[in-house]
Amino acid sequence: GNSVTQMEGPVTLSEEAFLTINCTYTATGYPSLFWYVQYPGEGLQLLLKATKADDKGSNKGFEATYRKETTSFHLEKGSVQVSDSAVYFCALSDSGGYQKVTFGTGTKLQVIP
Amino acid sequence: NAGVTQTPKFQVLKTGQSMTLQCAQDMNHEYMSWYRQDPGMGLRLIHYSVGAGITDQGEVPNGYNVSRSTTEDFPLRLLSAAPSQTSVYFCASSYGGGRAEEQFFGPGTRLTVL
């Protein structure tokens, strides 16, 4: 079956530091890949997505590139802010029937001033 | 638009009690889902619906019932609560069922079963 593996958290960074959160996946076919973000006390919201190999998703300074050869979708941001503190979920959606989304376990990011 | 709303935000039950978690969306989305979020396990799909009158089981359906009588509402019923159902529950909706569709999540219900 499908699976998503994320790096263990929590990740603690100082403001303006560079962020990488690793995500690798296992899937058959050609899944879409997503990053969702969950701010404290809220539901998940889409941060970015990519639907085919070599696509780059980007939003709010975050980027991730769909790498089929390494089955990865790592999230990066050049300069984090305190307001980026949240839990980040990598997810995939396979191509069979109704969108069956598989989520990773989430990585908590804490940014300190 | 209110988006996806869930009630209640918090609930404490005793083992064996039943209750209904409410979910509503005002975006005219056909697809709706219920997930539970547990520490170290990410989100797991409980039940989903592809339209009014149509529901199906997800990854962890045991102990839960759903129905979808309208496009807007998708309640989740716990038949006889157990401590293993202590979790945070999220309802989500999407316009379509394609693999690139964004899901919109409610704020969640934190349930504790004693």
Side-chain angles (χ1 to χ4, degrees):
Chain A
N2 297 337
S3 68
V4 175
T5 302
Q6 286 183 239
M7 61 188 292
E8 293 277 338
V11 174
T12 302
L13 294 173
S14 297
E15 207 165 20
E16 299 184 2
F18 185 86
L19 168 71
T20 300
I21 300 178
N22 290 337
C23 171
T24 57
Y25 68 90
T26 301
T28 55
Y30 301 95
S32 292
L33 301 174
F34 304 83
W35 278 101
Y36 282 86
V37 58
Q38 183 182 29
Y39 297 105
E42 299 183 10
L44 282 71
Q45 56 186 272
L46 180 67
L47 180 60
L48 53 84
K49 70 179 182 182
T51 59
K52 62 182 188 296
D54 300 324
D55 266 3
K56 178 185 283 187
S58 61
N59 187 24
K60 300 181 181 178
F62 291 89
E63 293 183 340
T65 301
Y66 190 143
R67 301 286 188 201
K68 196 171 190 309
E69 64 276 13
T70 55
T71 61
S72 64
F73 193 55
H74 305 320
L75 183 68
E76 296 182 335
K77 187 175 186 184
S79 176
V80 294
Q81 306 300 313
V82 172
S83 56
D84 294 326
S85 298
V87 180
Y88 293 81
F89 290 89
C90 185
L92 71 82
S93 174
D94 69 22
S95 51
Y98 168 63
Q99 180 197 48
K100 295 280 184 69
V101 183
T102 301
F103 288 88
T105 54
T107 301
K108 184 174 183 178
L109 170 66
Q110 182 177 14
V111 181
I112 55 177
Chain B
N1 284 354
V4 180
T5 58
Q6 293 183 237
T7 56
K9 289 192 173 180
F10 301 95
Q11 183 71 47
V12 179
L13 293 178
K14 294 181 179 178
T15 296
Q17 287 185 314
S18 62
M19 79 159 294
T20 299
L21 279 63
Q22 301 292 344
C23 173
Q25 52 90 10
D26 61 359
M27 297 175 282
N28 202 31
H29 286 171
E30 288 295 321
Y31 294 80
M32 297 186 74
S33 305
W34 275 103
Y35 294 89
R36 58 178 290 172
Q37 182 183 31
D38 300 295
M41 302 191 74
L43 276 73
R44 292 182 292 170
L45 183 65
I46 304 171
H47 285 285
Y48 65 95
S49 170
V50 300
I54 307 170
T55 64
D56 205 347
Q57 296 181 352
E59 181 184 358
V60 288
N62 292 342
Y64 306 95
N65 267 1
V66 291
S67 60
R68 183 105 178 264
S69 56
T70 67
T71 298
E72 294 78 20
D73 300 300
F74 190 43
L76 178 72
R77 281 181 287 278
L78 279 70
L79 310 172
S80 177
S84 61
Q85 294 179 305
T86 294
S87 187
V88 181
Y89 292 85
F90 288 101
C91 180
S93 72
S94 62
Y95 178 73
R99 67 181 184 88
E101 289 283 345
E102 172 185 0
Q103 292 197 72
F104 294 81
F105 287 81
T109 295
R110 184 175 293 274
L111 175 68
T112 302
V113 182
L114 303 175

